[in-house]
Amino acid sequence: MLGRCAVGASLLAVLLTAGCSRSVDVKQALEVAEATRGWYDAGIVNGKNKIVPSVTFRLKKKPDSDLSGVALNVVFRHPPPPGTNVEEDWDEVFIQRADFRDANETQPLTVRPEKGYTGDPPQSRLEILQHSQFRDVRARIFAKASSSQWVEIGTVDVQRQLIVH
């Protein structure tokens, strides 16, 4: 009987400690750094030249933050048309876990959604960027640690330039 009480008390102590652990303010702990952006040559798809938005960045964390990794959701949206302030969702990419390995930052993270723009050959990728129906794209980066809520930690406007790598 005494053994069961000791096990019960130990289990209760573990549960209370886990429930009282300090939550991390992801928005305050993280920074999007070294962002490069542009349009990536996705090759020929269904006989058409295709380009997709591409954003590469690192996450830096404050040295005192207790994060080993975060989940990311990068949402690609069209900026609001003139006269409105509502962005239009376009595509998104989920990264299950970005780990902090080198000091307090991640390795470079490259995010490219499936959606993009296509043009019939001989239209070049550069001509696709200059087309009258081409719309710019913005990447909004959301992060969360364990059971926390998603919070936006950065915004990157994708530049109208081709990425060559």
Side-chain angles (χ1 to χ4, degrees), residues 94-160:
F94 175 72
I95 298 173
Q96 186 168 357
R97 186 164 173 92
D99 290 315
F100 295 96
R101 296 187 180 162
D102 300 330
N104 290 315
E105 63 184 27
T106 63
Q107 296 294 321
L109 303 165
T110 299
V111 182
R112 296 181 181 130
E114 289 292 319
K115 284 190 178 178
Y117 287 105
T118 59
D120 290 318
Q123 185 180 31
S124 72
R125 281 115 179 122
L126 188 56
E127 289 171 323
I128 296 171
L129 288 174
Q130 297 167 346
H131 194 277
S132 63
Q133 293 181 336
F134 183 90
R135 293 182 61 199
D136 290 313
V137 174
R138 173 177 293 150
R140 294 201 176 269
I141 303 166
F142 295 85
K144 75 181 246 166
S146 64
S147 63
S148 67
Q149 297 293 317
W150 288 103
V151 294
E152 185 173 345
I153 59 169
T155 301
V156 178
D157 287 331
V158 178
Q159 297 174 337
R160 281 196 196 193

Side-chain angles (χ1 to χ4, degrees), residues 75-81 86-91 135 138:
V75 179
F76 290 84
R77 295 179 175 159
H78 293 293
V86 179
E87 294 179 332
E88 180 184 321
D89 284 343
W90 197 45
D91 204 354
R135 293 182 61 199
R138 173 177 293 150

